[in-house]
Structures are given as C-alpha cells and as structure tokens.
Amino acid sequence: MEVAQQFTADSRTSINWASGTSTEIFIHPADGNFAERSFLFRISTATVEAEESRFTFFEGITRHLMILKGELELIHEGRYTKHLRPYDQDTFSGEWTTYSKGTVTDFNLMVKAGVEGSLAHQHVGVGMEAAFTATTDYYFLYVAAGKGMLENGSIATTGDLLWIHKGLPLNFHAQEPCDLIKIEVMTGS
C-alpha cells in the first residue's frame, strides 16, 4: 500500500475573483462544488492582486489563511487587525467583514461548520529529512516551495499535495530547501 496519494499542479483549474485568482487543490467530498458551497472542506491557493480588497462572505465556513509570498494586513471589522508575512496565518469566520491591504499569494483551508482543521508550516533544509505520520483520515502535506524525495522514490515539487494515509509514516527528504504545509482536517465522520 502506498503511504500517500500525490496530487500534482497540472490537473488544477483556476477561477477569477474580484481581486485575483483562486486555484482549487483539493475538495471533499470529491463531487463537492465550491460555487454551490457543497463541500465539507476545500484546500486552495489564491493571489490577491489588488492593493486593497474585501473578502468574500462565506456563511458557515471557517477560513484558515496562510501567506506564501508577500505581506498582507487583514482587517476584521470590529474585531482585530493582523499583519501577516510568509508562513504567518490567521483563522477566522467567513461571515466576518474582512478587508485586506497588500498583494500576496496565500494558502487556504476552508471548513464547514462541524469540521475542524489546522495548518502548520515546516522548513526543511537541503539534505535534511522530515517525518510525518497521519493522525487523521484527512492529513495532507503541501509543498509550498522546493523539491523532495519520498521513501518510495517519487519526487514531490512545488505545488504538489500529498494525502498521507492514516496511521502511516511518510519521510520527506529535501533535495532543495523546502517549505512544507501540514494540513489536518477532522470531519467527525
């Protein structure tokens, strides 16, 4: 049994939104539809190309946002403001009135009510190894930058997503300096 299922960037589609583009990396269930909001969770990247923008309202969705490139000031109206640099993150309700200042590329995990999720960044230097063991049914590793080899000899490069099977260990050997994002999702089912 393979330790992980690999999803590469060549099969993804992007959509335009008011201030940039969004690229869906993974959606669950597989027949889920972002436009119809018929999903339990969604993993994506986005570009914010306007210097100032207003975030889309998402009823019943929690957003986990991590910056990949650039800097962003998030303004949650009446709540708080947070300045984000690469690999900084914020978790907030999609129902909040949220504005941003700055142009960035970001990484997103959106979860519906009743679903929990988290993001964690790890830098792995060239020639170093990082070990991961899936503790949930939905445990992913996103290669935000760099290139590495898995123990089965396959190569994972920038933009690849690895879905690690629960209970199985994955060793990632960095062939270039790598920035990895660990994504854990608990659906309760």
Side-chain angles (χ1 to χ4, degrees), residues 1-5 129-136 139-141 149-154 162-173 182:
M1 174 181 190
E2 286 292 322
V3 171
Q5 187 175 357
E129 190 167 276
F132 302 90
T133 300
T135 54
T136 66
Y139 187 106
F140 303 89
L141 194 62
M149 182 184 292
L150 311 180
E151 62 263 6
N152 67 1
S154 64
L162 305 169
W163 181 1
I164 305 171
H165 298 291
K166 186 175 182 179
L168 297 179
L170 176 92
N171 294 316
F172 186 97
H173 181 80
K182 179 179 71 172

Side-chain angles (χ1 to χ4, degrees), residues 168-181:
L168 297 179
L170 176 92
N171 294 316
F172 186 97
H173 181 80
Q175 296 179 317
E176 299 174 0
C178 290
D179 285 297
L180 307 174
I181 300 173

Side-chain angles (χ1 to χ4, degrees), residues 1-151:
M1 174 181 190
E2 286 292 322
V3 171
Q5 187 175 357
Q6 188 168 356
F7 301 89
T8 58
D10 56 5
S11 62
R12 298 180 189 144
T13 56
S14 297
I15 58 170
N16 292 322
W17 61 285
S19 299
T21 60
S22 175
T23 302
E24 186 170 277
I25 298 171
F26 189 90
I27 194 165
H28 179 76
D31 63 353
N33 185 297
F34 175 64
E36 297 171 3
R37 309 296 188 252
S38 61
F39 62 90
L40 289 178
F41 69 90
R42 178 181 189 256
I43 300 169
S44 63
T45 58
T47 61
V48 179
E49 297 164 2
E51 188 57 43
E52 294 187 15
S53 64
R54 181 180 176 148
F55 278 49
T56 304
F57 178 86
F58 290 114
E59 185 175 354
I61 293 176
T62 298
R63 299 183 70 163
H64 301 264
L65 183 137
M66 180 180 282
I67 302 303
L68 298 178
K69 294 178 186 167
E71 293 189 24
L72 190 73
E73 184 173 1
L74 275 181
I75 302 114
H76 301 296
E77 191 172 86
R79 299 176 188 278
Y80 64 91
T81 297
K82 191 169 185 178
H83 188 86
L84 301 173
R85 292 179 175 86
Y87 303 108
D88 289 343
Q89 65 177 302
D90 192 28
T91 300
F92 55 97
S93 170
E95 297 178 11
W96 292 358
T97 301
T98 299
Y99 300 91
S100 69
K101 293 181 182 178
T103 57
V104 297
T105 300
D106 61 39
F107 186 83
N108 300 276
L109 170 64
M110 293 183 177
V111 297
K112 284 277 187 109
V115 177
E116 295 181 35
S118 66
L119 302 176
H121 167 252
Q122 183 170 345
H123 180 79
V124 184
V126 65
M128 303 299 291
E129 190 167 276
F132 302 90
T133 300
T135 54
T136 66
D137 287 332
Y138 301 105
Y139 187 106
F140 303 89
L141 194 62
Y142 178 74
V143 182
K147 178 170 94 172
M149 182 184 292
L150 311 180
E151 62 263 6

